[in-house]
């Protein structure tokens, strides 16, 4: 027989766990046995009387749906003879009532136990419940939480639906849900989630819920309002159990504004990236017109415009002309219709541009009378909207960038117009740069022509030689894929390739017979002299190098350095072939012209030996196309 302290405590635990939550008689026996001596509340433990306590407990426990007794402290002592014991128990009872109340009373109980047939049995007890005044947080009266949950459900700003777990029909909806969808409570509870979302959103919900069996998930989709409008929403759905019944808790948040802001931010970032890329292209690409056409296509596609264009002012602002245009549908804009518009006929429009205003017109027919001829012109074109951003050069109106029929013009922000203005500033810089380069190129070409004529004046028999070499070298470069910028460089190198002959005595250059060894040495120095003359001229191309190397040959037999193979620049290899062909086709003081056939035969025999094979092939192509029958060779 076990009469230890542990056995007493085990008996106490069994005593408190042997009754079910709905067994009222057992619960009352647990707390108020018939042989109980003292029962009450507060300090005066006999004040309320056993009947009051029993009535209160019967009232609350009759509606109890679940109960759990938690012993917080247990102390026991066994008598010396081991046949009687005393246990002091302090604990808390958690009971959930079906009407939504939560019962949380504390209790204290002193139990007296006797040993019978090897078991400890309760003989009598002392029981008390702390009163509400003494311990308000753990008071015996029930706390009504259902009202709080009802208030939270009805007043929360998120839309909440309880849905049938199988059909997703609406069982209950809060006020926010009724506002979101624009239905009354009765209308909403006659619908299902299928009626309240678009098809794709509903399919994704059912797939996650039924096919994948997800107990909880969130997704973004579209809600369909009663007035037909779509809202972007975030749907969070979870399987729950309420009062023993399974359902789906669906929380829906309207994220339309957030998504709109996200799209606007992404559009802004994309626009900034586009403007940056187009600005770099306009500033760095040699062919400005090509860069502008590319930029207009990018801006037009991004903005959704029907056309995107540039007008420039000429004759000190007296007239304007369309200089560049991109069309969404080719053939819709006839540029000839937009040339030489007199500025004085569009006084209001031009005045706003001069003031630096970006103009956004959303409704062309609604434009005021102050627009005059401009409104009439736009209406004749059938335009509905347009956006115009001016650009300036040295503080004067140079032109404007325009967009026709920009369907989203109402959504254009001031930041968008600032970005367009930044692009226009870059555009004006590029135009200033091009105009300066054009003036510089004109000056450079004039100087080159003067130098070229100076050489020819000293060598009457080779008059026109440099011009013909220049023309042929440029044509060969184009055949080899040179862009216009590089082809311009080889053309200039051709005009100057014999500039070093200016330092060779005229009597040697015009000598009708063979040259002596000393005279030939003087002539062979002209590439180095040419390099020295041009060395301090800052050309944007390697002109001096090409002039120095134009008499070098692939096999190393040329002069002045005896270079071979790839050590000779491509420009010099082109000049070498052009120089040989022109010289053999022209008259010299010591012989008549040998003719084109012999010149081409020379190239054929030495292709890959003396002359670059690709350059020779390009020359043959030109001959087949009749290049040598046209000026300046004809």
């Amino acid at each position: 027989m076990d009469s230890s302290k542990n056995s007493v405590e085990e008996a106490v635990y069994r005593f408190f766990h042997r009754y079910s939550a709905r067994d009222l008689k057992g619960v009352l026996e647990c707390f108020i046995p018939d042989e109980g001596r003292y029962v009450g509340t507060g300090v005066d433990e006999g004040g309320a009387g056993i009947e009051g306590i029993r009535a209160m407990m019967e009232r609350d426990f009759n509606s109890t749906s679940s109960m759990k007794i938690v012993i917080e402290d247990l102390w026991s002592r066994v008598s010396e003879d081991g046949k009687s014991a005393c246990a002091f128990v302090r604990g808390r009872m958690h009971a959930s009532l079906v009407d939504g109340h939560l019962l949380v009373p504390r209790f204290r109980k002193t139990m007296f136990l006797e040993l019978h047939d090897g078991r400890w049995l309760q003989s009598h007890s002392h029981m008390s419940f702390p009163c509400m005044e003494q311990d308000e947080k753990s008071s015996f009266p029930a706390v009504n939480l259902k009202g709080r949950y009802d208030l939270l459900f009805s007043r929360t700003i998120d839309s909440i639906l309880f849905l049938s777990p199988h059909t997703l029909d609406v069982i209950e909806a809060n006020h926010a849900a009724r506002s979101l969808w624009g239905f009354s409570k009765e209308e909403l509870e006659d619908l299902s989630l299928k009626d309240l979302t678009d098809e794709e959103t509903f399919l994704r919900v059912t797939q996650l819920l039924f096919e994948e069996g997800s107990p909880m998930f969130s997704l973004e989709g579209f809600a369909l309002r009663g007035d037909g409008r779509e809202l972007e929403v975030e749907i969070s759905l979870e399987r729950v159990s309420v009062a023993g019944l399974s359902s789906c808790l669906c929380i829906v948040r309207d994220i339309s504004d957030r998504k709109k802001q996200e799209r606007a931010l992404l559009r802004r970032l994309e626009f900034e990236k586009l403007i940056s890329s187009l600005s770099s292209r306009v500033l760095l690409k040699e062919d400005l017109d090509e860069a502008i056409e590319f930029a207009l296509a990018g801006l037009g596609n991004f903005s959704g415009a029907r056309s995107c264009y540039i007008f420039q002012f000429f004759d000190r602002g007296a007239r304007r002309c369309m200089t560049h245009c991109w069309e969404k549908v080719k053939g819709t804009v006839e540029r000839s219709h937009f040339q030489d518009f007199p500025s004085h006929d569009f006084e209001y429009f031009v005045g706003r541009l001069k003031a630096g205003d970006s103009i956004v017109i959303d409704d062309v027919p609604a434009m005021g009378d102050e627009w005059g001829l401009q409104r009439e012109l736009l209406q004749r074109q059938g335009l509905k909207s347009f956006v115009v951003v001016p650009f300036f050069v040295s503080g004067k109106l140079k032109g404007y960038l325009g967009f026709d029929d920009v369907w989203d013009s109402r959504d254009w922000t001031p930041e968008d117009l600032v970005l367009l203005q930044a692009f226009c500033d870059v555009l004006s810089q590029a135009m200033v740069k091009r105009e300066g380069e054009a003036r510089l190129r004109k000056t450079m070409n004039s100087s080159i022509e003067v130098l070229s004529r100076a050489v020819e004046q000293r060598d009457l028999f080779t008059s026109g030689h440099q011009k013909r070499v220049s023309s042929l070298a440029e044509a060969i470069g184009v055949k080899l894929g040179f862009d216009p910028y590089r082809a311009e460089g080889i053309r200039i190198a051709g005009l100057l390739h014999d500039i070093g002959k200016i330092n060779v005595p005229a009597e040697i250059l015009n000598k009708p017979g063979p040259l002596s060894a000393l005279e030939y040495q003087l002539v062979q120095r002209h590439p180095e002299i040419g390099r020295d003359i041009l060395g301090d001229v800052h050309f944007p191309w390697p002109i001096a190098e090409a002039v120095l190397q134009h008499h070098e040959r692939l096999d190393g037999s040329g002069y002045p350095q005896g270079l071979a193979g790839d050590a000779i620049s491509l420009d010099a290899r082109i000049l070498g072939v052009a120089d040989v062909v022109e010289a053999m086709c022209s008259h010299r003081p010591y012989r008549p012209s040998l003719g084109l056939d012999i010149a081409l035969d020379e190239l054929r025999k030495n292709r890959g030996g003396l002359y670059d094979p690709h350059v020779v092939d390009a020359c043959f192509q030109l001959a087949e196309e009749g290049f040598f029958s046209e000026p300046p060779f004809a």
Side-chain angles (χ1 to χ4, degrees), residues 355-415:
D357 293 343
S358 294
I359 302 173
V360 178
I361 298 296
D362 300 308
D363 187 0
V364 168
M367 292 169 67
D369 294 337
E370 67 275 10
W371 288 92
L373 186 59
Q374 182 78 12
R375 180 181 65 177
E376 181 183 338
L377 178 65
L378 295 172
Q379 288 178 334
R380 283 206 305 263
Q381 298 173 52
L383 298 182
K384 300 176 182 177
S385 64
F386 71 93
V387 175
V388 166
V389 180
F391 58 90
F392 299 80
V393 172
S394 301
K396 294 183 179 180
L397 181 65
K398 175 67 175 177
Y400 57 89
L401 168 68
F403 302 82
D404 282 346
D405 281 350
V406 185
W407 309 117
D408 297 330
S409 60
R410 290 185 186 275
D411 297 329
W412 280 35
T413 64
E415 291 78 12

Side-chain angles (χ1 to χ4, degrees), residues 348-589:
Y348 179 74
F349 176 70
V350 174
R352 287 193 57 178
L353 293 178
K354 287 182 176 180
D357 293 343
S358 294
I359 302 173
V360 178
I361 298 296
D362 300 308
D363 187 0
V364 168
M367 292 169 67
D369 294 337
E370 67 275 10
W371 288 92
L373 186 59
Q374 182 78 12
R375 180 181 65 177
E376 181 183 338
L377 178 65
L378 295 172
Q379 288 178 334
R380 283 206 305 263
Q381 298 173 52
L383 298 182
K384 300 176 182 177
S385 64
F386 71 93
V387 175
V388 166
V389 180
F391 58 90
F392 299 80
V393 172
S394 301
K396 294 183 179 180
L397 181 65
K398 175 67 175 177
Y400 57 89
L401 168 68
F403 302 82
D404 282 346
D405 281 350
V406 185
W407 309 117
D408 297 330
S409 60
R410 290 185 186 275
D411 297 329
W412 280 35
T413 64
E415 291 78 12
D416 292 333
L417 297 177
V418 169
L419 286 173
L420 286 177
Q421 186 61 67
F423 174 74
C424 286
D425 292 342
V426 170
L427 186 62
S428 63
Q429 293 176 32
M431 289 181 172
V432 170
K433 177 184 174 185
R434 181 170 70 170
E435 291 173 359
E437 289 175 348
R439 288 192 295 269
L440 181 61
R441 187 175 292 110
K442 184 177 180 181
T443 302
M444 182 181 66
N445 286 335
S446 298
S447 301
I448 290 169
E449 289 287 346
V450 169
L451 288 173
S452 179
R453 284 198 298 270
V455 175
E456 291 178 351
Q457 288 296 321
R458 303 187 72 253
D459 185 2
L460 300 179
F461 286 95
T462 59
S463 178
H465 167 71
Q466 294 189 116
K467 186 174 182 180
R468 288 189 291 271
V469 170
S470 172
S471 178
L472 178 56
E474 182 181 18
I476 291 174
V478 172
K479 280 293 181 185
L480 294 177
F482 284 16
D483 59 36
Y485 174 75
R486 191 172 180 189
E488 173 76 358
I490 193 66
R491 182 188 72 82
I492 292 174
L495 287 173
L496 297 174
H497 76 283
D498 276 343
I499 189 67
K501 288 183 178 181
I502 201 168
N503 203 38
V504 178
E507 56 270 20
I508 294 177
L509 295 176
N510 296 295
K511 185 176 180 179
L515 298 178
S516 68
L518 180 59
E519 291 171 337
Y520 190 60
Q521 287 179 5
L522 288 174
V523 171
Q524 283 185 317
R525 290 194 61 235
H526 80 272
E528 293 176 289
I529 296 171
R531 186 271 315 274
D532 294 341
I533 293 172
L534 300 174
D536 293 331
V537 181
H538 297 289
F539 289 106
W541 311 277
I543 302 294
E545 179 187 51
V547 168
L548 174 65
Q549 298 177 1
H550 77 277
H551 277 292
E552 303 286 357
R553 297 294 179 256
L554 287 185
D555 62 359
S557 63
Y559 63 87
Q561 297 172 301
L563 301 177
D566 290 339
I568 308 170
S569 72
L570 179 56
D571 286 9
R573 282 178 263 164
I574 293 173
L575 287 179
V577 169
D579 190 31
V580 166
V581 171
E582 198 287 329
M584 296 181 73
C585 291
S586 301
H587 296 288
R588 286 294 183 264

Side-chain angles (χ1 to χ4, degrees), residues 176-191:
R178 299 194 292 271
S179 298
L180 177 75
W181 274 284
F183 290 112
S184 67
K185 182 178 186 298
E186 293 74 17
E187 290 173 332
L188 200 56
E189 293 177 0
D190 283 338
L191 301 174

Side-chain angles (χ1 to χ4, degrees), residues 163 168 193 197 200-211 217 219 235 237:
L163 306 173
L168 299 183
L193 191 64
T197 59
E200 182 179 351
T201 303
F202 183 73
L203 288 175
R204 288 166 62 197
V205 169
T206 55
Q207 180 182 8
L208 289 169
L209 186 63
F210 300 126
E211 296 180 19
F217 57 86
L219 56 85
I235 298 175
L237 194 143

Side-chain angles (χ1 to χ4, degrees), residues 196-322:
L196 300 174
T197 59
D198 73 329
E199 183 177 357
E200 182 179 351
T201 303
F202 183 73
L203 288 175
R204 288 166 62 197
V205 169
T206 55
Q207 180 182 8
L208 289 169
L209 186 63
F210 300 126
E211 296 180 19
E212 300 184 15
S214 302
M216 178 189 302
F217 57 86
S218 294
L219 56 85
E220 293 182 358
F222 290 91
L224 303 179
R225 280 181 50 86
D227 58 11
R229 289 192 297 123
E230 280 190 346
L231 296 176
E232 290 183 90
V233 294
E234 180 184 72
I235 298 175
S236 299
L237 194 143
E238 179 181 3
R239 293 180 182 272
V240 296
S241 178
V242 180
L245 298 176
S246 177
S247 65
C248 291
L249 173 64
C250 183
I251 300 176
V252 182
R253 296 181 179 89
D254 183 358
I255 59 173
S256 300
D257 289 341
R258 188 189 81 194
K259 298 299 286 186
K260 183 178 179 181
Q261 291 172 2
E262 288 177 358
R263 285 192 293 272
L265 178 59
L266 287 174
R267 181 183 183 277
R268 174 66 186 274
L269 293 175
E270 290 175 5
F271 199 22
E272 287 180 352
K273 184 177 178 180
L274 175 65
I275 292 295
S276 177
S277 173
L278 296 179
S279 298
S280 298
R281 191 181 184 100
V282 165
L283 281 176
L284 300 178
K285 192 169 179 61
E286 292 299 330
D287 190 337
L288 179 58
D289 290 324
E290 181 183 333
I292 291 176
E293 296 288 349
F294 181 86
L296 293 183
L299 293 170
N301 282 315
F302 184 86
S303 64
R306 187 178 80 172
S307 61
C308 182
Y309 47 82
I310 287 178
F311 273 84
Q312 292 188 57
F313 289 91
F314 299 96
D315 297 339
R316 298 182 179 180
R319 60 187 180 91
R320 59 182 168 127
C321 297
M322 178 185 286

